[in-house]
Amino acid sequence: MRIAILLFDGVTALDAIGPYEVLSRLPGAEVQFVAESPGIKRTETRMLGLVADHATAAVREADILVVPGGFGEARVRDTPALLEWVRAIHERSRWTTSVCTGSLILGAAGVLRGLRATSHWSALEQLRSFDAEPTRERVVVQGKVITAAGVSSGIDMGLRLAQLEAGDQVAQAIQLGIEYDPAPPFDAGSPKKAPAHIVEAVRGFLENARAEIERAKTH
């Protein structure tokens, strides 16, 4: 079970590591962290580095492809070689998956055309530009394509995929092994539940961050 997880500068750490913690426990799992060039990829906060041991040019097949999101996904979408790699892996994969704004990368690669898909709530409507139908579901399975909503939902996606691949008992054993039993102190994990002023504050932060990225592209 070869699992390829794409890394890039500006990735959200949990987008990649959440699914890794689940999928690496599948029987026979072999996980490869892959990037356009091997080495350390800094997360969007620049505080953490994740190591890609393999170059995309050296990884030509995977049973499972995981595409995380993060502010750096915009640069991935602007890199034709990476989109071509995603398309090539998807052609032969058993499962092609994304977490958070990683679905925008799948969309740019043409993987989501005509499919229902999800993403981080702040980016959900962008999926329409890739001929996908956005939905607020936490995990969406469409054939062999699985998209997850924002950040923490990558764990849910991993467990759903573990169930599909190895059955209920294995998936439940993995869930217990990582003690995934959420009991958050606030019921504010979606824009439908969070106070309006919190939603607007987070939306403003994200819009400013994306604007900074766009300005950086022009310099």
Side-chain angles (χ1 to χ4, degrees):
M1 177 63 66
R2 294 166 297 176
I3 302 165
I5 301 177
L6 181 65
L7 293 182
F8 48 87
D9 283 319
V11 68
T12 296
L14 190 58
D15 285 11
I17 298 304
Y20 161 78
E21 289 293 350
V22 175
L23 299 176
S24 65
R25 289 166 168 78
L26 281 172
E30 176 189 332
V31 180
Q32 296 178 318
F33 285 94
V34 185
E36 188 174 22
S37 59
I40 296 174
K41 308 301 169 185
R42 308 303 302 187
T43 60
E44 56 192 7
T45 64
R46 305 294 298 172
M47 298 179 194
L48 176 66
L50 302 177
V51 178
D53 293 315
H54 306 275
T56 50
V59 177
R60 300 184 180 279
E61 291 184 282
D63 297 303
I64 297 174
L65 172 63
V66 179
V67 179
F71 293 137
E73 62 80 20
R75 291 191 181 275
V76 177
R77 285 191 281 139
D78 287 339
T79 306
L82 285 176
L83 296 182
E84 181 54 40
W85 180 80
V86 169
R87 281 191 289 269
I89 297 297
H90 171 64
E91 285 180 4
R92 299 185 181 184
S93 70
R94 287 165 64 171
W95 303 99
T96 297
T97 74
S98 67
V99 182
C100 197
T101 53
S103 59
L104 302 183
I105 296 173
L106 292 188
V111 171
L112 300 182
R113 194 170 293 120
L115 301 182
R116 292 168 53 251
T118 191
S119 189
H120 190 278
W121 59 268
S122 67
L124 201 56
E125 286 303 309
Q126 289 181 252
L127 290 170
R128 295 190 191 279
S129 64
F130 305 114
D131 296 324
E133 179 186 342
T135 172
R136 288 191 179 273
E137 294 171 60
R138 190 160 172 84
V139 177
V140 180
V141 182
Q142 295 278 270
K144 71 172 189 175
V145 177
I146 307 179
T147 56
V151 192
S152 63
S153 62
I155 299 174
D156 300 66
M157 183 276 290
L159 289 169
R160 178 73 170 121
L161 181 48
Q163 177 194 34
L164 292 169
E165 189 62 36
D168 290 2
Q169 292 188 36
V170 170
Q172 289 178 59
I174 293 173
Q175 181 176 1
L176 178 59
I178 64 173
E179 200 169 350
Y180 181 54
D181 189 23
F186 305 105
D187 191 18
S190 84
K192 287 186 177 180
K193 298 177 179 179
H197 70 283
I198 298 294
V199 174
E200 289 310 307
V202 173
R203 192 190 306 278
F205 168 78
L206 295 173
E207 289 176 352
N208 288 337
R210 291 186 181 115
E212 285 294 327
I213 291 170
E214 290 300 317
R215 281 194 288 271
K217 285 183 186 179
T218 63
H219 292 84

